[in-house]
Each structure stands twice: as structure tokens, then as C-alpha cells.
Amino acid sequence: MSSEGDFLLVVTIVKKGWGDEVVKASRKAGAQGGTILYGRGTGIHENKSILGLMIEPEKEIVLTITESCIADNILKSITEAVKLDEPGTGVGFTVPLEKVFGITRYFCEMHDRSQKSSGS
């Protein structure tokens, strides 16, 4: 397991079809990948109707676990890629992770990178 404070969960909620762009942007900034889940919006601006039938907009929720030290780069890359700074495009936030497990491959890659950078 990781030690406390090493990792963050980046949560990005965007319109259907934009999840892949979020994953591409986060990978470009150093993330190892992401998980795309599907949901529907229920906000006050989400409820629209056509011919009296309510339309519930579909959303994609992208979950990305990342090292805290590169989180700001990932947030900036995602914001630029899917224009999260513009109204109605989506929302993102981070959650500190107390413990992370099941990512041994990731820790091996981190160890290999630190070995190479230290010259060992």
C-alpha cells in the first residue's frame, strides 16, 4: 500500500463522448491511465425537455489515480483539453487518498524511474 498523502484521485465529469479526451490529456501530463464510468446529470441546468419528454443528459465520469506531485499538471492538461474553464463543459475535483492498493506495477515503474534518475 502507498503511504498517506502520496496519491490523489482526480475526478472529472464531462459530457458523453469526452471521457477519452480527458484520459488522453491526463496521460499526456504523466498519469498512467484512467477509468471511465457512465452516469446522467441531474443539475438544475440539466433538465431539458423536447415535446414534454424530459431529457437526462448522459455524462462520463473519469477517475484517475495519480501521484500528488504531478496532479497540478494533470488538472491543467485536462482543463485545457476539454475546456473545463468554460460554462457547461463539465467539472473536476481531487480527493486525497489515504491508502492505495492493487497498483504494484505502478510502484515498480516508480522505483525503476527513481533508480535511473539517481544513477544507480
Side-chain angles (χ1 to χ4, degrees), residues 3 20 31 43 47 51 63 71 76 91 95 107 109 114:
S3 59
D20 287 330
N47 297 325
L51 301 173
L63 306 176
K76 181 178 178 188
V91 65
V95 179
F107 287 119
E109 289 174 5
S114 68

Side-chain angles (χ1 to χ4, degrees), residues 1 9 11 13 18-19 40 42 47 50 56 62 77-78 92-93 100 111 113:
M1 283 189 238
L9 174 65
V11 180
I13 304 170
W18 286 90
R40 61 184 172 90
T42 61
N47 297 325
I50 295 180
E56 295 176 342
V62 183
S77 183
I78 292 170
F93 56 92
V100 178
H111 178 71
R113 282 190 302 215

Side-chain angles (χ1 to χ4, degrees), residues 16-27:
K16 184 178 179 185
W18 286 90
D20 287 330
E21 293 302 317
V22 171
V23 172
K24 284 180 198 173
S26 62
R27 289 184 67 110

Side-chain angles (χ1 to χ4, degrees), residues 2 7-8 14-15 23 26 29 41 48 54 56 65 81 86 102 107 113:
S2 75
F7 289 91
L8 290 176
V14 293
K15 295 178 183 178
V23 172
S26 62
K48 296 181 182 177
M54 291 303 291
E56 295 176 342
I65 296 175
E86 294 180 9
F107 287 119
R113 282 190 302 215

Side-chain angles (χ1 to χ4, degrees), residues 32-80:
Q32 298 294 310
T35 299
I36 301 173
L37 306 171
Y38 299 95
R40 61 184 172 90
T42 61
I44 60 172
H45 298 291
E46 304 292 342
N47 297 325
K48 296 181 182 177
S49 66
I50 295 180
L51 301 173
L53 299 172
M54 291 303 291
I55 300 171
E56 295 176 342
E58 295 177 331
K59 303 290 182 183
E60 291 184 1
I61 302 108
V62 183
L63 306 176
T64 307
I65 296 175
T66 185
E67 294 173 86
S68 299
C69 61
I70 62 170
D72 285 340
N73 291 338
I74 292 170
L75 299 178
K76 181 178 178 188
S77 183
I78 292 170
T79 299
E80 290 173 358

